[in-house]
Amino acid sequence: MNIQWDAEKYTADFGFVAQYGNDVVSLIDAPAGSSVLDLGCGSGALTNTLREKGYWVIGIDGSQEQLNIAQQSYPDIPFLQGDATDFTLPEPVDVVFSNAVFHWIDRKRQPDMLRCVHSALQKNGQFVFEMGGYQNNRIIHGALADIFQAHGYPYQIPFYFPSIGEYASLLEQAGFLVQYAHLFDRPTPLKGEDGMKDWIQMFLKTPLSIVPMEPEREEILDQAIEQMRPELYQDEQWIADYVRLRMKAIRL
Ligand code: BEZ
């Protein structure tokens, strides 16, 4: 994954990530008692929602810091450290669920991740997930790219945001039948007057680290924020231009 988490700040300021995930949970169509893997469970909020629906749950995440929070909050749920592109389960599960994780995995590692999910599922098991979709945060990345360029630095988006067609094809190649796919805008309010700055500093550490020194890094950030303000600051509120890709596929 392309990030070092500040798990406590993430949970405090970006808890909306899990709240929006409740809609994704409702795509699961399985009786109580079914087994569900929450892949990239983070601090476990949605793993717990799944458990409250009567599923037998397990959470896997790459970040030990996030897992410590998860284990403290929900001591009865089994949480394991693992890499989404290289994991196995002792027993296959009925459902693999994931929210807001797969865009952190490079395009070239996606087939490895889908192979692991395929082996983790029973035949006819459900794979239900949401991730950043095609052109996610287009205005944010566009403004940063312009300002980086003006300062003489390259700007590389550190995420994978596929279209429906592209991801459906990867799923089919990995042995899944796509049953549902929806790509949609979800304008997302950010917290506080510095909401956009906080968001960029939380999620775009890798591109920002190209700029070697302050005060230039701060200057670039401020200029990019001013460029996006006319489109993304409304009624004294920052709104991030999220696009979601939500899918359900069956393991053949
Ligand atoms: C997303 O959930 O789409 C996302 C979150 C943080 C950074 C980039 C994308």
Side-chain angles (χ1 to χ4, degrees):
M1 292 243 200
N2 302 321
I3 195 171
Q4 293 273 320
W5 289 107
D6 176 346
E8 278 183 25
K9 186 164 174 55
Y10 178 81
T11 307
D13 289 352
F14 301 98
F16 64 79
V17 174
Q19 282 155 30
Y20 283 113
N22 288 319
D23 294 344
V24 193
V25 169
S26 64
L27 271 185
I28 299 173
D29 176 17
S34 301
S35 49
V36 181
L37 164 66
D38 183 1
L39 185 57
C41 61
S43 58
L46 286 171
T47 329
N48 186 51
T49 302
L50 290 161
R51 188 213 2 211
E52 285 174 351
K53 289 201 169 286
Y55 299 130
W56 180 91
V57 293
I58 178 170
I60 291 186
D61 202 276
S63 158
Q64 190 56 52
E65 214 190 328
Q66 294 266 22
L67 288 175
N68 291 343
I69 295 174
Q71 202 67 80
Q72 246 177 3
S73 310
Y74 313 109
D76 304 340
I77 296 180
F79 290 105
L80 301 175
Q81 189 173 25
D83 177 345
T85 65
D86 184 15
F87 72 93
T88 50
L89 292 181
E91 298 278 328
V93 289
D94 300 309
V95 179
V96 173
F97 169 86
S98 184
N99 182 51
V101 173
F102 297 159
H103 49 259
W104 293 100
I105 299 172
D106 290 340
R107 162 70 185 81
K108 63 177 187 303
R109 301 301 310 276
Q110 295 282 334
D112 296 332
M113 185 271 287
L114 294 176
R115 207 171 307 119
C116 292
V117 171
H118 193 274
S119 335
L121 274 170
Q122 313 262 19
K123 189 168 165 47
N124 295 322
Q126 298 168 39
F127 181 28
V128 167
F129 63 90
E130 186 175 294
M131 66 191 289
Y134 185 66
Q135 296 219 322
N136 194 25
N137 307 134
R138 179 185 58 80
I139 298 168
I140 297 175
H141 293 301
L144 284 161
D146 287 350
I147 304 299
F148 267 60
Q149 192 183 27
H151 282 253
Y153 297 107
Y155 181 78
Q156 188 101 37
I157 298 179
F159 308 109
Y160 171 56
F161 297 138
S163 65
I164 288 180
E166 181 172 348
Y167 215 74
S169 169
L170 287 185
L171 284 162
E172 287 176 1
Q173 285 166 42
F176 292 92
L177 175 71
V178 176
Q179 274 198 336
Y180 173 90
H182 188 196
L183 183 78
F184 59 98
D185 291 338
R186 195 202 62 206
T188 301
L190 302 177
K191 220 168 154 181
E193 190 55 31
D194 283 333
M196 183 56 74
K197 196 166 190 169
D198 290 346
W199 188 94
I200 293 171
Q201 285 174 327
M202 168 63 80
F203 294 120
L204 297 176
K205 287 190 173 77
T206 307
L208 282 178
S209 67
I210 291 258
V211 184
M213 274 193 294
E214 297 295 5
E216 194 180 19
R217 197 183 293 181
E218 188 83 5
E219 213 174 281
I220 288 179
L221 205 47
D222 289 342
Q223 287 171 6
I225 286 171
E226 283 319 300
Q227 181 165 317
M228 55 185 93
R229 187 181 291 276
E231 285 180 280
L232 298 182
Y233 189 72
Q234 291 144 21
D235 302 325
E236 304 190 352
Q237 167 89 62
W238 281 104
I239 310 275
D241 55 336
Y242 276 61
V243 178
R244 315 316 295 161
L245 175 60
R246 190 176 286 178
M247 296 184 90
K248 177 173 179 175
I250 302 299
R251 181 241 201 253
L252 297 174

